[in-house]
Amino acid sequence: MANGIIPMLGGRFIRDEDQVLGLLDALAPSVGRHSTFAPSVEIVRTESAIRNVPKFLQPGTLFVVQGMERLSCGGNVYIADRDRFILTSAPVGFRIDTDAVAGIPLLAIHVAFDPATAMDIAQEINRQGRSTARTMAICKTCGSMDKPLRDLLARLLTILRDPLSCRVLVPGLIRELHFRLLQRDDGPAVLAGLLGQGTRGKVLKTAAELLSRRRTGVSIDTVAAAAGISLSSYYSHFRALFGSTPLEYLKAARLHEARNLLKSADIGIADVAQTVGYKGISQFSREFRRYFGRTARDEQKLLQASMSNIDLV
């Protein structure tokens, strides 16, 4: 694409950065989270800064085209802005700060990470003799935006408003995105986690079991033993991966699930607490307020009035 010019729908041509911002403005014209014709792609727009907001980020790649998101986890800080992206291959809890004002909104794209696509690419990589067996597994990383990624993002955004183009072209672009991410420096470490290689990879593989059993309770000792890892080693590697203990991780998952349930006006606080696995409303209310900084009742009112900034990161 000569001179940094990319074709748009309708035959118009404009420069890369102007194109991407223009497309994002059209896809997310108002504050909030916006779905697209591609189920795995979501656009976010926010026009006010937030500070120290908890978020349980689902697996995916976060691209911030305008503004900045700072994600903290276990003492590590990850930055997403026009020059850097964040990739998570498993659900991870963060504390988030953003920079945004009404005149310069934060505009971001989240593309879901698909383990099946990644595993298929991993098999192709292994067939080429590129082993990841000695690489220590990770589930989150931050990388720099290069020209191939910028071009791919522009192509993706160009077709998101057309349902036919999305059905035909998005699967190939999503596969290309996974391939490019896994070919980067941290790609082998992400693959090692998906494949469960090494002690840390085995620990990472247990996260899905912990989350699936979070409502009914789970014994960390049993999970560690089933993975063939000593309890002390399990806790050490879990904290290195997720920035928290297994119990803290499960608590965050339950509280974020509870918060999603509170969006419905037809459910009471006690029912929410019971649904996500709390035996009593007192403990739930106390932990919800400590984690989110508001009572569950106040949060429910904000959510139903579409006024909560937590949905905008």
Side-chain angles (χ1 to χ4, degrees):
M1 287 167 283
N3 301 320
I5 307 289
I6 300 175
M8 287 183 64
L9 294 176
R12 294 188 296 118
F13 294 81
I14 54 179
R15 294 192 178 276
D16 297 11
E17 292 184 7
D18 291 338
Q19 180 203 27
V20 169
L21 287 174
L23 289 169
L24 283 172
D25 261 330
L27 290 164
S30 59
V31 171
R33 305 187 74 88
H34 300 264
S35 59
T36 68
F37 288 117
S40 62
V41 182
E42 186 177 55
I43 311 296
V44 179
R45 182 190 188 108
T46 179
E47 298 185 350
S48 59
I50 63 168
R51 294 290 178 261
N52 197 33
V53 169
K55 182 71 176 180
F56 205 67
L57 197 64
Q58 294 303 311
T61 310
L62 177 67
F63 300 100
V64 176
V65 176
Q66 182 170 271
M68 183 275 294
E69 288 196 20
R70 183 185 300 106
L71 296 84
S72 302
C73 176
N76 296 314
V77 177
Y78 305 83
I79 302 292
D81 56 19
R82 65 182 303 276
D83 296 317
R84 291 163 289 189
F85 68 88
I86 292 174
L87 167 66
T88 56
S89 58
V92 181
F94 292 96
R95 289 275 170 171
I96 299 181
D97 300 282
T98 67
D99 286 346
V101 295
I104 310 176
L106 183 146
L107 293 169
I109 307 102
H110 187 268
V111 183
F113 185 83
D114 181 19
T117 297
M119 292 293 284
D120 185 50
I121 292 171
Q123 292 176 357
E124 293 292 339
I125 291 173
N126 287 336
R127 277 195 281 270
Q128 297 298 317
R130 303 180 190 178
S131 175
T132 62
R134 296 184 180 181
T135 304
M136 187 170 288
I138 61 173
C139 61
K140 56 187 182 303
T141 185
C142 183
S144 60
M145 294 291 294
D146 56 19
K147 189 175 188 304
L149 272 181
R150 292 183 191 278
D151 289 347
L152 191 156
L153 193 60
R155 283 183 281 136
L156 177 63
L157 289 170
T158 299
I159 65 175
L160 279 180
R161 298 180 69 190
D162 179 56
L164 178 59
S165 296
C166 280
R167 287 196 298 271
V168 175
L169 300 175
V170 164
L173 288 176
I174 297 300
R175 183 174 178 83
E176 180 183 346
L177 174 61
H178 282 64
F179 175 74
R180 293 196 179 281
L181 292 173
L182 295 174
Q183 286 290 290
R184 299 174 73 92
D185 290 344
D186 283 340
V190 174
L191 286 175
L194 294 172
L195 296 169
Q197 294 175 340
T199 302
R200 191 166 292 181
K202 293 177 182 177
V203 172
L204 182 54
K205 295 284 280 188
T206 68
E209 180 183 358
L210 292 178
L211 292 176
S212 69
R213 296 172 60 185
R214 65 183 180 273
R215 292 187 176 187
T216 57
V218 57
S219 167
I220 306 301
D221 300 50
T222 301
V223 171
I229 306 169
S230 71
L231 193 58
S232 60
S233 179
Y234 184 85
Y235 269 82
S236 174
H237 286 292
F238 195 98
R239 182 177 287 279
L241 284 164
F242 295 103
S244 67
T245 68
L247 292 178
E248 290 168 342
Y249 182 77
L250 287 173
K251 181 188 293 185
R254 283 198 298 267
L255 291 172
H256 280 284
E257 181 185 8
R259 186 180 175 279
N260 285 331
L261 292 173
L262 289 172
K263 295 177 183 179
S264 172
D266 299 326
I267 189 167
I269 305 300
D271 291 332
V272 169
Q274 184 177 24
T275 298
V276 301
Y278 280 87
K279 295 180 180 179
I281 190 172
S282 296
Q283 182 186 6
F284 168 74
S285 297
R286 183 170 59 254
E287 292 188 355
F288 190 98
R289 182 168 187 170
R290 183 181 300 126
Y291 188 78
F292 287 110
R294 286 187 287 267
T295 67
R297 179 68 63 197
D298 287 343
E299 186 67 358
Q300 188 173 45
K301 292 177 181 177
L302 286 171
L303 288 167
Q304 292 168 13
S306 299
M307 294 170 58
S308 179
N309 250 355
I310 299 179
D311 275 341
L312 305 182
V313 294

